[in-house]
Amino acid sequence: MPISKASSNAVAPAALGDLVVGSATNDSGVLAVGTTGQVLTVDSTQALGVKWATPATGAGNLSQITTGSLSGTSVTLSSLSTYAELLLLINGYTWGTTTSSLIVRVNNNSGANYNQFGWYDNAGANGSSVKGTGLTSFSNTYPESNQLNTNADGVMAIKFTNCKSTGFTDMDQKSIFFRNADSKYYSQTYKGVYSQSEAVSSLVITTSGGYTFSAGTYTLFGA
Amino acid sequence: MFRVEHNVETGEITEIELTDKEIKLLETERKENEAAEKKAVDEYKVKAVAKAALLAQLGITEEQAKLLLS
């Protein structure tokens, strides 16, 4: 049965989309309509206990944060604490000295907090599942051979989710391709977790041995 | 030697000289990396020699062995 203003103590809405909301027992108020895209959210600090709010950016809405060239013994990407998701692309990386592996660390932490499960392929042969727990970084280490430092055709894409949480950070996906000293091509794909209860504030790109980068670019996306 | 810090909020990119302590740590890491690389290469070579000897003993080529296992 429709309730008229005369038959209740409700205040009258003033505009399209306004809501009449209870503010206490037998009392009510008007919540003015929000803007397009906003959703109704419970908030006990509001006089009416609810408000219109813009929903947080969800998964998949990544935008480019920054890009740059690799140089020095490591590159630290800092001030990341506002991002819930991060996707780091590293391309064409070479370094000055010897065969080694590309490394990504969270918050410059070199403790045994990196865990990953995945699969690798050796030029179409000897493919196998591989797991590592208690590692000291997320790297492109291959069980039998690593990247020759002068081969500039390597790529790494690594995505992190749950970055703002104080719980563990998911290493949602890591894909790598590189060439070793015998010019054999290797590809790997992994999922894993950074098992420290802390938000991600920085990512460090370096090599096993901290050799000085001579080429390479990085691009960071976030949401 | 230097490391780079890129503050994505401000866009500022800074080159920071490594301290003596950081350089020493890198030297240790490099020695460890080179030892691990040598070990991996040696193991790979030993395996390759053993594989070649087995193929010779069986009188088949590597391609024929792959065909058998496929």
Side-chain angles (χ1 to χ4, degrees), chain B residues 44-63:
Chain B
Y44 178 76
K45 281 180 183 166
V46 167
K47 202 174 159 186
V49 168
K51 205 159 114 181
L54 184 60
L55 288 173
Q57 197 182 341
L58 293 170
I60 59 173
T61 65
E62 193 171 348
E63 284 67 35

Side-chain angles (χ1 to χ4, degrees), chain A residues 65-67 71-80 83 98-100 144 146 182 184 207-212 218 220, chain B residues 1-11 13 15 18 26-27 29-31 33-34 37 40-41 43-44 47 51 66:
Chain A
I65 301 170
T66 194
T67 188
S71 64
T73 57
S74 67
V75 172
T76 300
L77 302 171
S78 63
S79 296
L80 302 178
Y83 298 97
T98 187
T99 300
S100 183
E144 293 170 14
N146 284 323
D182 296 331
K184 282 186 177 172
T207 57
S208 177
Y211 301 108
T212 298
Y218 58 87
L220 184 66
Chain B
M1 279 195 286
F2 65 94
R3 62 186 175 87
V4 173
E5 181 147 341
H6 183 161
N7 184 323
V8 305
E9 203 168 88
T10 62
I13 298 174
E15 289 184 3
L18 298 187
L26 274 191
E27 283 168 357
E29 279 182 22
R30 286 177 184 184
K31 277 181 190 160
N33 177 65
E34 279 146 32
E37 285 298 322
V41 169
E43 283 173 0
Y44 178 76
K47 202 174 159 186
K51 205 159 114 181
K66 276 182 189 168

Side-chain angles (χ1 to χ4, degrees), chain A residues 26-64:
Chain A
N26 296 326
D27 203 357
S28 60
V30 172
L31 178 68
V33 67
T35 56
T36 301
Q38 286 189 314
V39 296
L40 195 60
T41 305
V42 175
D43 184 346
S44 61
T45 66
Q46 303 294 308
L48 294 173
V50 290
K51 67 178 181 182
W52 294 104
T54 303
T57 304
N61 294 317
L62 296 171
S63 58
Q64 184 173 317

